[in-house]
Amino acid sequence: MNKWIAFFLLPLLLGGCTPKKQAVTRPNILFILSDDHGYQAISAYGYPIGKLAPTPNIDRLAQEGMLFDRMFVANSLCGPSRASIITGKFSHKNGFKRNGDKFDPNQPTFPKMLQAAGYQTAVFGKWHLKSLPQGFDNWCVLPGQGHYYNPDFIKQPGDTFRMQGYVTDLITDMALDWLKNKRDPNKPFLLMYQHKAPHREWLPAEKYLDLYHHIKFPLPPTLFDDHKGMGTAAQEAEMLISQNMGLSNDNKIDPKIVTETGHKPFMKWYFNAYYNNLGRMTPEQRARWDEVYKPINEAFRKNPPVGDSLTKWKYQRYMEDYLACIRSVDDNVGRVLDYLKKTGLDKNTIVVYTSDQGFYLGEHGWFDKRFMYEESFRTPLLIRYPGVIKPGSRNHDLVQNIDFAPTFLELAGVKIPKDIQGMSIVPLLKGEHPANWRHALYYHYYEFPGIHMVKRHYGIRTKRYKLIHFYNDIDEWELYDLKKDPQELHNVINDPEYTDIKTQLHQQLDSLIRVYQDPLEPVVVKQ
Ligand code: SGN
Ligand code: CA
């Protein structure tokens, strides 16, 4: 009889808790989002760059939690990615397809649903959805892309103000201040802590300006890829380190020296961007900047590299600044993790680290993202959840950023609305591999024409293959065998060996398009 009581009555008693009691059992959610942080630059992922520029604090999440090595985005661009994260839907459903779009803030989002379910909610940092945040008790966000030095912020209910300091530190100060002073300890919380870094134009903090100047970063094997084995879209994209990275704004060479050495800005506003960034600095910040960058400028002026040497020089400069920005992100993640530990909050807080997309660190000769090729489609994901995730575990399932919303809703005990397109990864966190887990991912990118000129495309990725359709001004299909060709250098769409696989992938893709109800845009090929 006692056994029966335990079996039937205990769950009922627990299920009938008061909201206050629930607050203790439902986990807090700390969602850390960085901007353009490629998994190659997180040391826990084990790539050569991570070894040279370690991220010990982010790595703690892998040691104490789970690292996902097949995590992907729905549309590899900032605004669309953020819209997918908060809605759990693809761009064609949440309406935010391109960075120029405006997110309709009246649609359902997981922060709103958590707030309605009794969570205290807050977001600090990069937002980039044009409309102001809804569903948050507290927020303070960067306008648009934001700035690295002495950035402007928009605070509730919508006033803009400027803060002195470095953006990554300031966003963290806000998050910590909220945790310490504004949090209601009787409620579980959702804190979205969202960095601008390491987004272009990669301005490191004063103390880290020359952090990696002594390291020679190994060149990626495909730095000089001519994209001939891929397709027209790869050949026509404007995101080459050699051609499209700005010597001034990106590599920090004074526009006067750029011109003097016979170079062009690539885009006119790249010179202005350089002056704007420097113009925001205090005299002290500027003095430190000059101390570091003047000798680099002088060396460039005296002996300007050309041809492939220039590309290699730019790659090295790019890595120095990009990775130094990540160092500040890592330090600051450490500050927040330390606070959770010190207060004991760590025990009942799920901590998620991810990025709005991946990034090219010289692979295919590129920087930036957008493509469905691996480095930008895939993004880092590390999760710590004490008592649920076995420390040091690794997951290889196909996971996507539309999965966050249903996951957090399940954790909060909120019913997942039927029109959410992602899947809750809670079973994966427990180490399970459900039989009905997805075997293929869908992707759709729209921002063309536009900066970097990456053509519109959609496609499917299974664990082994990737089929992509580039459309709009072209009509081209690409197929990659990721097992034989992990660097995606050989498009095998016309290889007879892959005929059956191609047919099967087309069928799977059609079915994903149906399931996700993507109306697709017409293929318009200009003559
Ligand atoms: C800016 C960048 C681009 C970048 C987009 C989108 N140029 O326009 O290189 O692709 O943002 O990035 S910059 O010189 O102004 O930095 S996103 O992450 O916000 O989608
Ligand atoms: Ca981004």
Side-chain angles (χ1 to χ4, degrees):
M1 191 64 187
N2 278 349
K3 205 169 82 190
W4 283 108
I5 292 173
F7 197 74
F8 283 115
L9 287 184
L10 260 181
L12 284 178
L13 287 171
L14 289 172
C17 296
T18 60
K20 203 165 175 193
K21 183 86 189 205
Q22 270 190 2
V24 183
T25 52
R26 291 189 295 177
N28 303 307
I29 300 167
L30 170 60
F31 182 75
I32 313 174
L33 185 68
S34 53
D35 193 349
D36 294 0
H37 192 172
Y39 52 83
Q40 312 93 305
I42 291 181
S43 35
Y45 276 88
Y47 291 83
I49 287 174
K51 291 201 177 72
L52 296 166
T55 49
N57 292 299
I58 299 171
D59 288 3
R60 271 158 73 179
L61 300 177
Q63 283 144 20
E64 296 163 16
M66 188 177 272
L67 179 146
F68 293 76
D69 60 15
R70 286 202 182 104
M71 160 66 176
F72 296 85
V73 296
N75 179 355
S76 182
L77 197 60
C78 183
S81 216
R82 284 152 208 269
S84 285
I85 289 170
I86 59 175
T87 60
K89 295 174 188 166
F90 283 95
S91 310
H92 63 273
K93 286 285 180 192
N94 64 43
F96 199 107
K97 295 178 171 175
R98 305 166 186 84
N99 271 343
D101 291 342
K102 184 173 181 176
F103 184 72
D104 169 9
N106 296 315
Q107 59 187 305
T109 63
F110 87 80
K112 281 187 195 174
M113 292 181 239
L114 257 55
Q115 189 183 42
Y119 268 67
Q120 191 182 8
T121 57
V123 59
F124 300 106
K126 186 158 176 195
W127 180 245
H128 212 199
L129 290 173
K130 269 215 182 130
S131 47
L132 294 177
Q134 277 190 22
F136 296 94
D137 300 315
N138 303 98
W139 56 263
C140 188
V141 296
L142 296 166
Q145 294 286 6
H147 286 98
Y148 276 101
Y149 277 81
N150 310 324
D152 296 330
F153 281 94
I154 311 174
K155 65 177 178 187
Q156 288 165 286
D159 302 327
T160 302
F161 68 108
R162 187 181 281 212
M163 280 186 95
Q164 193 175 316
Y166 185 66
V167 71
T168 309
D169 301 334
L170 294 172
I171 293 168
T172 310
D173 293 345
M174 285 178 194
L176 283 172
D177 177 53
W178 187 82
L179 283 172
K180 286 177 193 166
N181 305 317
K182 311 218 167 69
R183 202 172 61 81
D184 175 352
N186 296 314
K187 283 182 171 184
F189 68 79
L190 161 71
L191 171 58
M192 298 185 80
Y193 162 49
Q194 313 200 141
H195 287 291
K196 168 195 171 55
H199 190 278
R200 198 183 182 192
E201 291 126 343
W202 318 300
L203 269 62
E206 276 164 86
K207 63 178 170 183
Y208 289 143
L209 284 175
D210 55 1
L211 179 70
Y212 292 126
H213 288 195
H214 62 291
I215 294 180
K216 186 127 186 65
F217 291 97
L219 301 177
T222 57
L223 184 62
F224 295 102
D225 185 8
D226 60 9
H227 314 116
K228 291 237 167 72
M230 301 169 83
T232 310
Q235 286 160 30
E236 294 188 358
E238 296 179 354
M239 43 193 252
L240 287 168
I241 293 176
S242 59
Q243 306 285 317
N244 314 116
M245 182 176 273
L247 274 169
S248 53
N249 56 336
D250 294 321
N251 297 142
K252 290 49 174 208
I253 297 296
D254 190 307
K256 288 191 210 88
I257 298 177
V258 173
T259 312
E260 200 184 304
T261 51
H263 294 98
K264 294 208 163 66
F266 176 63
M267 289 212 202
K268 262 197 176 154
W269 58 272
Y270 281 4
F271 280 0
N272 295 339
Y274 172 91
Y275 291 124
N276 286 343
N277 285 334
L278 265 60
R280 300 188 71 87
M281 294 178 180
T282 62
E284 295 75 27
Q285 290 165 339
R286 182 60 201 268
R288 167 81 181 129
W289 178 276
D290 287 344
E291 186 189 20
V292 172
Y293 288 106
K294 271 212 164 136
I296 294 174
N297 270 265
E298 270 317 298
F300 188 89
R301 196 178 60 79
K302 278 202 194 112
N303 195 8
V306 288
D308 286 356
S309 305
L310 179 61
T311 305
K312 290 179 193 166
W313 180 92
K314 289 172 91 176
Y315 173 74
Q316 171 72 21
R317 284 271 45 255
Y318 166 33
M319 283 303 95
E320 288 166 0
D321 291 347
Y322 178 83
L323 296 166
C325 289
I326 289 172
R327 174 60 181 267
S328 283
V329 173
D330 190 70
D331 283 359
N332 278 290
V333 166
R335 286 173 67 201
V336 177
L337 295 182
D338 287 349
Y339 178 77
L340 294 184
K341 187 157 193 194
K342 198 178 84 192
T343 52
L345 275 172
D346 59 336
K347 292 187 189 67
N348 194 34
T349 301
I350 174 167
V351 181
V352 176
Y353 186 93
T354 190
S355 172
D356 61 345
Q357 2 75 204
F359 213 65
Y360 295 95
L361 307 184
E363 299 87 356
H364 300 287
W366 289 331
F367 64 106
D368 214 68
K369 52 260 180 174
R370 297 157 193 273
F371 274 117
M372 199 188 162
Y373 305 126
E374 214 63 356
E375 292 81 1
S376 46
F377 180 27
R378 210 179 128 193
T379 202
L381 177 63
L382 305 99
I383 305 184
R384 184 180 77 184
Y385 190 7
V388 176
I389 294 179
K390 191 166 151 258
S393 41
R394 235 176 206 259
N395 178 286
H396 312 293
D397 296 307
L398 295 170
V399 173
Q400 199 160 23
N401 61 354
I402 50 171
D403 298 339
F404 287 123
T407 302
F408 296 147
L409 290 172
E410 181 176 344
L411 290 174
V414 178
K415 196 161 175 277
I416 302 168
K418 284 227 159 50
D419 63 348
I420 281 204
Q421 298 183 305
M423 298 170 81
S424 164
I425 65 165
V426 170
L428 311 188
L429 303 181
K430 293 177 182 161
E432 297 162 10
H433 301 282
N436 64 347
W437 194 256
R438 63 165 76 84
H439 297 290
L441 292 161
Y442 184 60
Y443 179 84
H444 199 153
Y445 170 83
Y446 302 84
E447 197 180 271
F448 179 87
I451 186 167
H452 300 300
M453 297 303 272
V454 172
K455 296 183 193 298
R456 295 181 202 191
H457 59 289
Y458 60 88
I460 181 174
R461 187 207 195 275
T462 63
K463 277 197 172 172
R464 172 148 183 194
Y465 300 104
K466 196 181 283 183
L467 178 71
I468 316 176
H469 184 207
F470 289 95
Y471 69 97
N472 188 244
D473 68 334
I474 57 168
D475 182 6
E476 269 185 35
W477 290 83
E478 293 180 16
L479 172 62
Y480 295 92
D481 180 342
L482 301 169
K483 194 169 169 202
K484 287 197 183 153
D485 176 28
Q487 294 178 312
E488 297 165 303
L489 299 170
H490 309 288
N491 170 15
V492 291
I493 196 78
N494 294 318
D495 185 337
E497 234 185 76
Y498 288 89
T499 308
D500 292 346
I501 284 155
K502 199 164 75 179
T503 309
Q504 198 190 327
L505 285 169
H506 270 295
Q507 281 165 1
Q508 279 180 282
L509 175 60
D510 289 347
S511 119
L512 286 184
I513 291 168
R514 261 196 316 275
V515 169
Y516 292 132
Q517 301 175 317
D518 187 346
L520 298 185
E521 297 176 333
V523 177
V524 188
V525 185
K526 281 181 220 131
Q527 294 305 316

